[in-house]
């Protein structure tokens, strides 16, 4: 499973988005606000989930804000932090 | 203040969801437990299904709310809906949530996650739901209740403790009404303790009036009551005249022998015989715990049965038709009822007696 598909599955399972399927999450759609509708509490949960599943730490807001924009940005951030 | 009225009921337990489900179970006299996996085998459980909560809230609103809080929310929504008082001022509505164990499953899941993945990977949502007053916070937010909010625990006397707190708030006129809820849930750790300490060999039917055997089955659920001060308008479900608590070390429960008693025994040897010791043989008694199981929430279901009995003016036949102690007194057929009591003994000699009468008396 590629990283974007895994991210979508984890988002649905860990954030209990029972009303959403992976196919309904567009790679470039905003995760927060009008996109997937996540909020600030989800952001905190996401930081934990990313570390737990990918071993990648989001250290602060400066790093987190651009990374948590969409599935595309999150996947790129994780790939950039994972050892090659 | 001489009494408080019960004007709304919300129920979810092993018998199903709502008053009709409990009434159906009372008429049938039994509820079948489900088998839940525990390690390499199964144990019986009178399990409560919180799915009907989706009639009140959409899935998105529920996604951060665990089973414990969902049970509480379901009971709270039902009780307010049942009371049908659209003019009720939510800023003058108190909320008292009582629980013997609190959110057990989430608490242990959270602790497991800390042990397995370290505290840096512990879920903040699981943490927030493991806080003891999380369920009351969910209710307050979802139902817009802004009055005083209290979460209380006194193990299996939590109902009595909650009732006394509600009574105090009403007597001091700090609130116009109190939404009192008792909620408890099953979790595998509880199942493990149940097996280890109670040594109950896979019972499928509780016979709590047989004090010589362990027959308890674990239960879970929520029971909510909308309580108000006495008014000239009769209570919908009866009035609570008194709540007496004490300990056998220092006092004895005051029981009126003419009044039927709902006994809170639940198939456990350690306190079962206490009922036989302190309730006179010949006193009319009934026990309904086989319909909802052994749990700190059971006394609240007893109170709900009392409330429904007073509303109908009829007491239901006991779900257990009796062991050696109460052969002469067990209520085996529906009978008229205008006043009754609920008696609950705890494990260490503590007791609670709640006296109720019909709302129009």
């Amino acid at each position: 499973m590629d990283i974007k598909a895994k991210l979508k599955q984890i988002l649905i399972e860990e954030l209990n988005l029972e009303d959403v399927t992976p196919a309904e999450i567009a790679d470039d759609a905003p995760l927060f606000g009008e996109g997937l509708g996540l909020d600030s509490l989800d952001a905190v949960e996401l930081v934990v989930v990313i570390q737990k599943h990918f071993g990648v730490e989001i250290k602060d807001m400066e790093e987190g804000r651009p990374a948590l924009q969409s599935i595309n940005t999150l996947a790129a951030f994780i790939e950039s932090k994972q050892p090659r | 203040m001489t009494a408080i009225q019960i004007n709304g009921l919300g129920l979810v337990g092993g018998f199903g969801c709502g008053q009709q489900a409990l009434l159906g179970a009372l008429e049938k006299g039994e509820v079948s437990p489900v088998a839940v996996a525990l390690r390499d085998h199964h144990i019986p459980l009178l399990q409560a299904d919180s799915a009907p909560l989706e009639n009140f809230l959409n899935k998105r609103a529920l996604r951060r709310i665990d089973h414990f809080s969902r049970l509480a929310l379901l009971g709270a929504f039902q009780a307010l809906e049942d009371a049908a008082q659209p003019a009720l001022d939510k800023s003058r509505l108190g909320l008292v949530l009582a629980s013997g164990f609190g959110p057990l499953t989430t608490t242990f899941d959270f602790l497991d996650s800390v042990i397995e993945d370290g505290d840096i990977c512990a879920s903040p949502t699981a943490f927030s739901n493991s806080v003891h007053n999380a369920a009351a916070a969910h209710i307050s937010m979802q139902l817009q209740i802004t009055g005083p909010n209290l979460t209380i625990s006194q193990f299996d006397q939590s109902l009595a403790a909650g009732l006394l707190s509600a009574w105090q708030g009403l007597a001091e006129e700090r609130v116009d009404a109190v939404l009192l809820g008792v909620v408890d849930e099953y979790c595998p750790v509880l199942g493990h303790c149940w097996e280890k300490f109670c040594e109950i060999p896979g019972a499928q039917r509780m016979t709590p009036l047989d004090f010589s055997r362990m027959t308890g089955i674990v239960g879970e659920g929520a029971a909510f009551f909308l309580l108000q001060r006495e008014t000239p308008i009769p209570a919908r479900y009866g009035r609570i005249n008194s709540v007496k608590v004490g300990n056998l070390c220092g006092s004895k429960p005051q029981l009126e022998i003419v009044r039927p008693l709902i006994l809170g025994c639940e198939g456990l040897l350690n306190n079962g015989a206490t009922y036989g010791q302190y309730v006179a043989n010949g006193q009319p008694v009934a026990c309904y715990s086989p319909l909802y199981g052994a749990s700190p929430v059971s006394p609240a279901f007893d109170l709900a049965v009392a409330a429904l009995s007073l509303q109908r003016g009829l007491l239901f036949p006991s779900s257990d038709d009796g062991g050696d102690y109460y052969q002469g007194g067990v209520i085996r057929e529906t009978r008229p009822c205008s006043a009754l009591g609920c008696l609950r003994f705890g494990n260490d000699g503590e007791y609670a007696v709640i006296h109720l009468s019909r709302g129009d008396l």
Side-chain angles (χ1 to χ4, degrees):
Chain A
M1 188 186 294
D2 74 7
I3 195 168
K4 292 180 188 174
K6 188 176 175 186
L7 268 172
K8 291 175 187 177
Q9 188 178 326
I10 288 170
L11 272 179
I12 289 169
E13 287 174 5
E14 299 277 358
L15 302 183
N16 292 322
L17 301 170
E18 293 176 27
D19 54 342
V20 179
T21 64
E24 290 172 322
I25 305 176
D27 290 352
D28 58 353
L31 295 177
F32 294 84
E34 292 179 5
L36 195 55
L38 304 186
D39 58 24
S40 57
L41 286 176
D42 292 309
V44 180
E45 192 74 46
L46 258 178
V47 169
V48 171
V49 167
I50 299 302
Q51 174 143 2
K52 186 171 154 187
H53 289 274
F54 298 96
V56 170
E57 190 178 355
I58 298 173
K59 291 178 180 165
D60 51 34
M61 288 284 284
E62 195 177 333
E63 209 171 45
R65 186 167 285 138
L68 296 173
Q69 292 301 307
S70 65
I71 292 291
N72 277 339
T73 59
L74 201 46
F77 177 80
I78 292 167
E79 282 175 331
S80 74
K81 296 287 183 181
Q82 283 181 327
R84 296 181 188 277
Chain B
M1 197 169 73
T2 55
I4 52 177
Q5 296 184 337
I6 302 175
N7 287 327
L9 279 183
L11 305 165
V12 56
F15 50 83
C17 177
Q19 284 179 38
Q20 290 307 314
L22 181 55
L23 287 168
L26 285 161
E27 282 165 10
K28 192 177 173 191
E30 63 179 34
V31 171
S32 297
V34 298
V36 294
L38 185 67
R39 297 189 304 276
D40 57 350
H41 63 292
H42 290 81
I43 65 167
L45 168 66
L46 285 159
Q47 189 171 42
D49 180 8
S50 65
L53 184 55
E54 289 178 22
N55 296 328
F56 297 98
L57 289 172
N58 64 42
K59 280 188 175 179
R60 186 53 76 95
L62 289 170
R63 69 195 176 92
R64 291 198 194 103
I65 303 177
D66 65 5
H67 179 62
F68 179 84
S69 291
R70 288 183 188 207
L71 291 175
L73 270 168
L74 182 52
F77 269 110
Q78 286 181 77
L80 278 191
E81 184 179 72
D82 180 50
Q85 296 186 19
L88 194 65
D89 178 357
K90 300 284 186 68
S91 70
R92 295 276 302 164
L93 173 60
L95 173 62
V96 177
L97 190 93
S99 175
F101 294 118
L104 273 181
T105 305
T106 302
T107 300
F108 282 108
D109 284 350
F110 176 72
L111 293 174
D112 284 344
S113 78
V114 172
I115 292 167
E116 288 165 12
D117 302 312
D119 55 0
I120 199 163
C121 285
S123 162
T125 307
F127 171 72
S128 65
N129 274 320
S130 74
V131 174
H132 83 289
N133 57 354
H138 285 303
I139 293 170
S140 172
M141 287 186 286
Q142 297 294 344
L143 283 93
Q144 303 295 305
I145 297 172
T146 55
N149 184 317
L150 174 71
T151 297
I152 194 165
S153 179
Q154 199 170 312
F155 191 47
D156 56 4
Q157 300 295 2
S158 294
L159 168 70
L163 271 173
L164 290 172
S165 296
W167 199 305
Q168 190 73 18
L170 289 167
E172 292 173 358
E173 300 193 11
R174 284 187 288 138
V175 289
D176 297 330
V178 174
L179 184 61
L180 166 67
V182 185
V183 57
D184 265 294
E185 68 171 350
Y186 166 81
C187 96
V189 177
L190 186 64
H192 170 75
C193 294
W194 194 255
E195 281 195 325
K196 185 174 174 61
F197 299 114
C198 298
E199 297 174 350
I200 296 171
Q204 285 298 312
R205 175 167 174 78
M206 290 171 62
T207 54
L209 294 178
D210 179 352
F211 301 135
S212 66
R213 294 194 299 143
M214 288 283 236
T215 62
I217 293 174
V218 186
E220 64 170 7
F224 275 70
F225 307 87
L226 185 77
L227 305 172
Q228 290 174 297
R229 280 185 293 276
E230 283 253 79
T231 68
I233 302 168
R236 291 189 64 200
Y237 296 102
R239 59 212 288 273
I240 300 174
N241 299 308
S242 68
V243 180
K244 303 287 187 191
V245 296
N247 194 296
L248 295 173
C249 295
S251 61
K252 303 289 179 282
Q254 299 299 307
L255 308 172
E256 296 174 49
I257 193 151
V258 293
R259 286 191 183 186
L261 276 180
I262 296 177
L263 302 184
C265 44
E266 42 192 20
L268 303 177
L269 275 179
N270 52 353
N271 73 346
T274 315
Y275 290 90
Q277 192 177 345
Y278 287 93
V279 179
N281 200 345
Q283 171 135 22
V285 296
C287 180
Y288 306 103
S289 60
L291 307 180
Y292 28 81
S295 161
V297 75
S298 292
F301 288 134
D302 288 345
L303 184 64
V305 173
L308 289 169
S309 300
L310 293 168
Q311 184 201 32
R312 295 154 55 104
L314 294 170
L315 189 58
F316 301 90
S318 175
S319 303
D320 179 7
D321 60 9
D324 292 337
Y325 289 94
Y326 294 115
Q327 284 177 356
V330 176
I331 295 164
R332 291 191 167 86
E333 292 177 351
T334 302
R335 57 181 281 177
C337 173
S338 58
L340 51 73
C342 295
L343 172 65
R344 171 79 169 189
F345 283 113
N347 288 320
D348 297 316
E350 73 275 18
Y351 63 81
V353 190
I354 303 166
H355 285 296
L356 304 100
S357 59
R358 265 177 48 186
D360 54 352
L361 295 181

